[in-house]
Amino acid sequence: MSSASTAPIGIFDSGIGGLTVARAVKQELPGEHIIYFGDTAHLPYGDKSTAAIQAYSIKITQMLLNQGCKLILIACNSASAAGYELVSEYVGNSAKVLNVIDPVIDYLRENYQGKTVGLIGTKQTVNSKVYEQKVQALNKNISLQALATPLLVPMIEEGFFTGDISKKIIRKYLRDPWLQDMEALILGCTHYPLIKKSILKYYGPMVEVIDSSVIVARALKGFLEFHNLINKHPGGKDHFMVSDFTDSFQASTRMFFGEKIKLERSSLWD
Ligand code: DGL
């Protein structure tokens, strides 16, 4: 465990989708050394119970603390919704903990007072109502309309994120009456940055598409600066671990991270 600025940042997700967040973090903070953990043995988290996600999250967090991480970033929306409070409590003063929901809530507070905003995410994220509760707590008269869009994760993982099939599925969800008359749409899932272009095209310029990976990376930078934790001596090697390794996970890293990386199999669940 460490709070030294040169220590790594631990980032975890249910699988490899969280690489969209890791990628945004590396773009914003190229000098940071990251240890990524994708719990591919248990994905998808989006359909799991809160209790199961909490148990996985605690075990992963402990492993990242053992690696000396100065900060744990829960890159998965479903795990942020189900496990952030428990993970924070568990970590205590051993490291900092961030999730992917709070930076978006801060963004809404600054930009969407009195307005209507949509949210798409997994069943776990949407049914948890965590976004609604946090928006309500802002007391800024923001109305949130959330829709679970469970077909999008498997669709993207199978490589359908451009082309007719994906367009039809995306359109079917976005035409839902619940997602009308809003000024922004939050992409509340690790995978959705890959279909951002299609969603932007669907709405045109009147609806802002809020990509949480970018907002989270910016918030992380501000947070590290504030706590004097920016790594001023870069050079550590990044590690990308998964709890179950397959060639197909390896092949899709490029899709989510934008460049080739080497996945390492972790023995966490052995
Ligand atoms: N990482 C998950 C999320 O952001 C999506 C994939 C899953 O359901 O495990 O909610």
Side-chain angles (χ1 to χ4, degrees), residues 147 168-180 202-203:
L147 182 75
K168 275 194 183 136
I169 295 175
I170 292 167
R171 225 181 292 144
K172 170 91 182 122
Y173 278 133
L174 299 184
R175 278 196 185 138
D176 190 287
W178 197 228
L179 289 183
Q180 307 311 310
Y202 175 85
Y203 284 117

Side-chain angles (χ1 to χ4, degrees), residues 152-163 166 194 252 255-256:
L152 297 182
V153 164
M155 176 189 93
I156 294 167
E157 283 185 352
E158 287 304 323
F160 293 100
F161 49 92
T162 54
S166 65
L194 272 75
S252 37
M255 179 167 108
F256 290 102

